[in-house]
Every structure is written in C-alpha cells, then in structure tokens.
Amino acid sequence: MCVWQGLTKAKAAEYLRRDGRNELTPPKTTPEWVKFCKQLFGGFSILLWIGAILCFFAYSIQAASYEDVPGDNVSLLVSLAVCLSVCLSLVYTCH
C-alpha cells in the first residue's frame, strides 16, 4: 500500500464488507411514552397528584360520614387539571 495512492479497490471492498460503512450511528432517543410519564409524575405535577388524592380521601370520608354529600368532587377537577397541563407541556416540549 502506497500512502499517495490509497487502498486498492479490492482492499477497500474487503474492508467495507468486514467493517461496514464509515458512518456514525444516530443517538438513542427517548420514547414518547417515557417523556409523557416523566411529565405526568415529575416536578410540580406530583404535588398536584398528591393534592388530588388527599381531596379524594376527604371526599370519601365525607361521603361515609354524611347522608347528603355535595356533588362537586375537587379531586376529579385537580386530576383533570394535572392531565391537561401535562398534555400541554408535552406538546410544547415536543415542538
């Protein structure tokens, strides 16, 4: 092999067959469902989920203690707000 002439066609074909193309592999990407779960259960969202669970427990205690229970359930409203905010933040981070 001469430095000025490079590899012969046969030798280059052999190296290509043995080692493959000389190109970088793309980096691994995070699946969308993992991003969604990180948004759903991370940061401030976990505090809102805890608040929704506490509201649900308070509503359950109230429903068990009294006959006439108000129809508004704050835990459902907080859960809906968490899901909506997570969906919107996921849309904004993906674009």
Side-chain angles (χ1 to χ4, degrees):
M1 176 176 92
C2 181
V3 177
W4 294 280
Q5 291 179 348
L7 295 174
T8 63
K9 297 278 186 192
K11 200 65 161 170
E14 177 189 342
Y15 287 163
L16 181 63
R17 182 183 44 78
R18 184 185 71 190
D19 299 329
R21 296 182 55 88
N22 187 17
E23 57 187 16
L24 297 174
T25 57
K28 292 183 180 180
T29 59
T30 306
E32 295 298 321
W33 68 272
V34 172
K35 291 178 185 177
F36 181 75
C37 288
K38 283 183 179 179
Q39 291 283 337
L40 192 61
F41 299 113
F44 186 66
S45 296
I46 195 71
L47 294 175
L48 292 174
W49 280 118
I50 291 170
I53 291 169
L54 290 175
C55 288
F56 179 73
F57 285 146
Y59 182 78
S60 299
I61 291 169
Q62 188 179 15
S65 300
Y66 301 107
E67 292 179 12
D68 188 25
V69 181
D72 57 344
N73 190 350
V74 178
S75 62
L76 294 177
L77 183 64
V78 172
S79 301
L80 181 65
V82 171
C83 291
L84 183 65
S85 69
V86 164
C87 290
L88 288 176
S89 67
L90 192 65
V91 166
Y92 286 131
T93 57
C94 287
H95 283 58

